[in-house]
Amino acid sequence: MKKFLSMMSGALVVCAAVPSVAEVPAKPTFTKDILPILQENCQTCHRPAGTNLSGMIAPMSFMTYQEVRPWAKSMAKAVESKTMPPWDASEKYHGIFRNERTLTTDEIATISAWVKQRAPRGNPTDAPAPMTFSNTGWNFGEPDLIVDFDEPFFVPDDIQDLYKNITVELTEEQLPETRWIRSIEFKPGSEVVHHIIGHANAPANSGDETRGMLGGNAPGADQTELPEGYGIKLHKGSHVTFAMHYHKEPGPGTGMYDSSQIGLQLHAKDTEIQHPVEISTVSHGAFQIPPHHPHWKVAGSRTFSEDITLLSILPHMHLRGVEAKYTVFYPDGTSEELLHV
């Protein structure tokens, strides 16, 4: 059976690019030209109670003209510099990934032209219907299963970085039988969560001794949503481990409680899963950067003994990270760069 692999989580699923057919209007207005761009690319985060991308929440709302107008010049600078929408993959990979956050050249030019013309509102009847969003507190809608800490965990005052594994057992009431996962979302329970990596360990009597990953999250990451017919097996009686990384400024009164969660949406019981998915890592963590080195390279690798389809890649580094590059080397001696960030 061909296996399907997700490198970490990310929900960056490869699909066909759709060519842009937009044009730059001579006199763009908010209601007719800018609002559709914001709805398509910005309002998921820029709204009241906006999307929490693993701890990153947009600081202002872009739902109405009154909300957007004070930020017009800043918006133009952000899209012209391509710092917004946040998407760090190199230019040549734009249009390849699902859920990518990029604007076309015409969309950027439209926003710039609108700001240069003093950001006119336009005719209210030109505005598209308002967007609607889930109010469940989860980006992907209502979970079928929520995995919680047994009790909140306190991150002490004197901590700057703390790595802590917190394991909970799925009860029979939560998961009465083995099921297939179709979507996974991690919800940080406090502002001191830097990232979470989830593991689900099958019970000893399951006949499956693998320590399966549920993926992970870091600031800016989406939930994982698998295509139809793809799934991650979750055994009845599994132990779920939250591999937590907490980060904050140490000092008196800075400690706080955290109770992060993992939300799971499950396939219907009778769903046939043709493509079992595994989430794994290619990494190298045991290294030291020599002082003053301008560009220290660290490599990790993995050899696959069977054909796989790669669904997603989620690069993750901390403050010293400059770039990440993923290259596959085929048995015939050829190679292909999969992603450069």
Side-chain angles (χ1 to χ4, degrees), residues 131-275:
M131 297 280 286
T132 58
F133 299 93
S134 169
N135 60 2
T136 64
W138 296 86
N139 300 333
F140 63 5
E142 191 70 44
D144 298 310
L145 172 61
I146 298 175
V147 185
D148 296 284
F149 290 3
D150 287 335
E151 58 185 21
F153 176 75
F154 186 73
V155 182
D157 288 0
D158 60 349
I159 288 298
Q160 180 169 347
D161 284 284
L162 174 64
Y163 293 86
K164 175 71 175 180
N165 286 349
I166 298 174
T167 299
V168 297
E169 182 178 357
L170 296 181
T171 66
E172 187 166 357
E173 182 180 0
Q174 288 177 299
L175 190 69
E177 58 186 311
T178 297
R179 298 285 296 274
W180 289 94
I181 301 169
R182 63 182 177 90
S183 302
I184 303 171
E185 183 176 338
F186 292 80
K187 184 188 287 187
S190 69
E191 63 187 54
V192 298
V193 175
H194 181 276
H195 71 243
I196 309 169
I197 298 174
H199 300 273
N201 298 334
N205 60 3
S206 69
D208 186 344
E209 299 179 358
T210 59
R211 184 170 182 258
M213 286 187 67
L214 296 175
N217 78 335
D222 287 302
Q223 65 272 13
T224 297
E225 298 188 25
L226 299 176
E228 201 64 38
Y230 294 67
I232 299 170
K233 183 176 281 189
L234 182 64
H235 288 274
K236 173 185 176 180
S238 289
H239 289 76
V240 174
T241 298
F242 295 75
M244 304 295 302
H245 174 196
Y246 295 108
H247 173 80
K248 66 176 183 62
E249 293 294 329
T254 62
M256 66 178 62
Y257 283 96
D258 175 64
S259 187
S260 294
Q261 298 174 311
I262 302 175
L264 304 174
Q265 289 181 335
L266 306 175
H267 283 288
K269 295 180 182 180
D270 58 352
T271 301
E272 183 179 352
I273 300 300
Q274 298 94 0
H275 311 301

Side-chain angles (χ1 to χ4, degrees), residues 2-134:
K2 180 183 285 189
K3 290 188 177 179
F4 295 78
L5 184 73
S6 173
M7 295 296 187
M8 292 300 291
S9 55
L12 310 180
V13 182
V14 177
C15 65
V18 178
S20 171
V21 295
E23 296 180 356
V24 181
K27 296 182 178 181
T29 65
F30 176 81
T31 51
K32 186 175 182 180
D33 305 294
I34 303 303
L35 184 54
I37 297 175
L38 299 181
Q39 288 185 342
E40 178 69 23
N41 300 280
C42 309
Q43 288 185 358
T44 298
C45 298
H46 287 273
R47 58 187 171 90
T51 297
N52 183 335
L53 292 176
S54 304
M56 290 184 66
I57 303 174
M60 75 286 286
S61 175
F62 287 164
M63 298 295 289
T64 67
Y65 179 74
Q66 289 79 7
E67 292 172 333
V68 173
R69 182 62 183 85
W71 297 96
K73 290 183 179 180
S74 297
M75 182 187 298
K77 290 179 181 178
V79 300
E80 288 165 0
S81 65
K82 299 184 179 179
T83 56
M84 284 285 153
W87 187 256
D88 294 323
S90 299
E91 286 275 353
K92 68 179 181 179
Y93 293 100
H94 290 184
I96 291 178
F97 291 96
R98 196 188 80 181
N99 294 350
E100 74 174 17
R101 308 182 192 105
T102 59
L103 299 181
T104 66
T105 301
D106 287 346
E107 288 171 334
I108 294 172
T110 298
I111 293 173
S112 298
W114 174 66
V115 172
K116 288 176 182 177
Q117 295 174 32
R118 305 185 68 177
R121 178 177 183 177
N123 190 334
T125 62
D126 290 336
M131 297 280 286
T132 58
F133 299 93
S134 169

